[in-house]
Amino acid sequence: MEYVTVAQEGFYGLYHVPVKDHDPKKVVIVVGGSEGNENIPMNVGAMFARCGITALGICYWNVDGLPKELVRVPVDPFEKAILWLKKKGYEKIIMYGISKGAELALLCASLMPDICGVVALSPMHCIWGGMHGNKSMASKTFSSASEFTYRGKDFPCMTAHLKYGPAIRNLILHQQFELSYIYEEPLKHFDEDTAIRVENIQGNILFIYAKEDLMWPSKDAVAYTVNRLEKHQFTFRVDVLEYERASHILVPLNPPKLKMFKIERQYPEDCRHSREDAFRKTVKWISEV
């Protein structure tokens, strides 16, 4: 694995090249969620490489040279990463993201025509206000400023408020961590201007989500996005994978925080199988792009 720093190239990346035979023209950009660390770019990127797919894991905040909060985070470094990859001879660039990273992957692909495919796990269909704080969840607060910017301009964004009362009540009464209620109320008054212009994406899209995603309403987000694509007569392929026994965390890892979700504790093997199946089908899907 090779590190690429913001000081060197204008983006923070972890470059994984397969040891075995691979397509020298194809690469997947891997981005994680709102945690803002190297875990997913490093570990899932390495998994792609072991499957024969070159991967560039990218951190977009909370690392040296980038914003320390998920507020007004520029997506422009992804343009620099794409240029870096093209100079290396890659012609097919796919983005893979989970949660906030799935939202970001859809956003980048809608802005950057060199991205020819998107895998969006547990995604959202619109831009939200950012989050102040980069430590524990309890220390974070929502901002009214957009979480992302492009060429210095904010995106129109939905706004919400972090209210932990219902989350604590669900944790005590049901041993269940849940934050979806934070987003459901604002989405009753959805502002179309905040929607990601997915119809501008120049390639195939694969959506993957849990039937009951308790972190945010990704099932509804996928339904909205697919409907939007149909209305705009989107000409590329759109595939959807729904998993009944799965949590919000659908990457093929086993982090300790899986135990926050009741379904992960009740059906650990089924949930593990869902994560592994989603990744296996993702690898096959990328191989066909």
Side-chain angles (χ1 to χ4, degrees):
M1 186 191 73
E2 175 188 344
Y3 270 96
V4 183
T5 67
V6 177
Q8 290 171 326
E9 301 289 347
F11 68 93
Y12 190 99
L14 301 92
Y15 183 49
H16 308 261
V17 179
V19 175
K20 62 181 182 179
D21 291 341
H22 63 284
D23 186 342
K25 301 294 184 182
K26 184 178 293 183
V27 62
V28 58
I29 293 174
V30 178
V31 288
S34 61
E35 67 280 354
N37 59 35
E38 296 180 348
N39 181 38
I40 289 173
M42 179 182 290
N43 292 305
V44 178
M47 290 184 71
F48 275 117
R50 288 195 291 271
C51 292
I53 299 172
T54 302
L56 177 64
I58 294 183
C59 297
Y60 50 95
W61 76 287
N62 203 23
V63 294
D64 289 344
L66 293 176
K68 297 302 181 186
E69 295 185 315
L70 190 51
V71 180
R72 303 197 77 247
V73 171
V75 300
D76 307 68
F78 285 90
E79 288 186 318
K80 295 177 181 178
I82 289 168
L83 181 61
W84 188 81
L85 290 169
K86 289 177 73 175
K87 287 180 178 178
K88 288 185 174 292
Y90 295 104
E91 297 174 358
K92 293 183 177 181
I93 300 171
I94 298 102
M95 276 196 76
Y96 170 101
I98 171 76
S99 189
K100 188 64 69 178
E103 175 190 329
L104 177 59
L106 292 168
L107 176 62
C108 286
S110 75
L111 297 168
M112 304 167 196
D114 286 312
I115 298 171
C116 68
V118 179
V119 181
L121 294 83
S122 307
M124 186 51 67
H125 59 299
C126 58
I127 305 301
W128 288 86
M131 279 188 179
H132 292 297
N134 61 4
K135 302 298 182 184
S136 67
M137 193 66 193
S139 68
K140 295 183 178 181
T141 58
F142 272 118
S143 168
S144 59
S146 173
E147 57 199 345
F148 299 118
T149 67
Y150 182 53
R151 296 180 181 172
K153 294 183 179 180
D154 288 28
F155 292 96
C157 62
M158 295 289 294
T159 56
H161 300 283
L162 278 173
K163 299 177 182 178
Y164 289 109
I168 294 170
R169 185 165 58 250
N170 284 332
L171 205 56
I172 294 172
L173 296 178
H174 308 293
Q175 291 78 53
Q176 172 63 64
F177 188 68
E178 181 176 351
L179 292 177
S180 58
Y181 63 88
I182 292 171
Y183 302 92
E184 288 167 351
E185 187 60 36
L187 286 172
K188 292 177 182 177
H189 311 283
F190 180 57
D191 180 356
E192 288 282 347
D193 287 342
T194 68
I196 299 170
R197 305 298 190 257
V198 288
E199 61 274 11
N200 294 332
I201 294 174
Q202 297 298 302
N204 299 346
I205 307 173
L206 172 60
F207 294 107
I208 304 174
Y209 64 90
K211 186 176 181 179
E212 294 187 30
D213 184 344
L214 298 180
M215 290 301 285
W216 64 5
S218 59
K219 179 177 180 177
D220 293 342
V222 170
Y224 171 90
T225 306
V226 170
N227 184 58
R228 183 184 182 97
L229 291 169
E230 290 173 350
K231 284 183 177 178
H232 284 84
Q233 299 181 322
F234 190 66
T235 58
F236 295 94
R237 175 176 158 187
V238 178
D239 296 296
V240 178
L241 294 176
E242 178 187 88
Y243 288 93
E244 185 165 355
R245 289 187 174 174
S247 67
H248 179 79
I249 303 173
L250 268 165
V251 289
L253 303 175
N254 294 285
K257 60 184 176 182
L258 287 175
K259 294 179 180 179
M260 296 189 306
F261 302 105
K262 191 173 184 179
I263 196 165
E264 294 277 1
R265 299 193 305 272
Q266 287 181 322
Y267 307 103
E269 287 303 307
D270 289 340
C271 290
R272 180 183 60 80
H273 178 266
S274 294
R275 292 192 298 278
E276 292 175 353
D277 185 71
F279 188 71
R280 183 168 56 250
K281 288 177 178 173
T282 294
V283 169
K284 183 177 184 296
W285 188 90
I286 288 174
S287 71
E288 296 170 353
V289 172

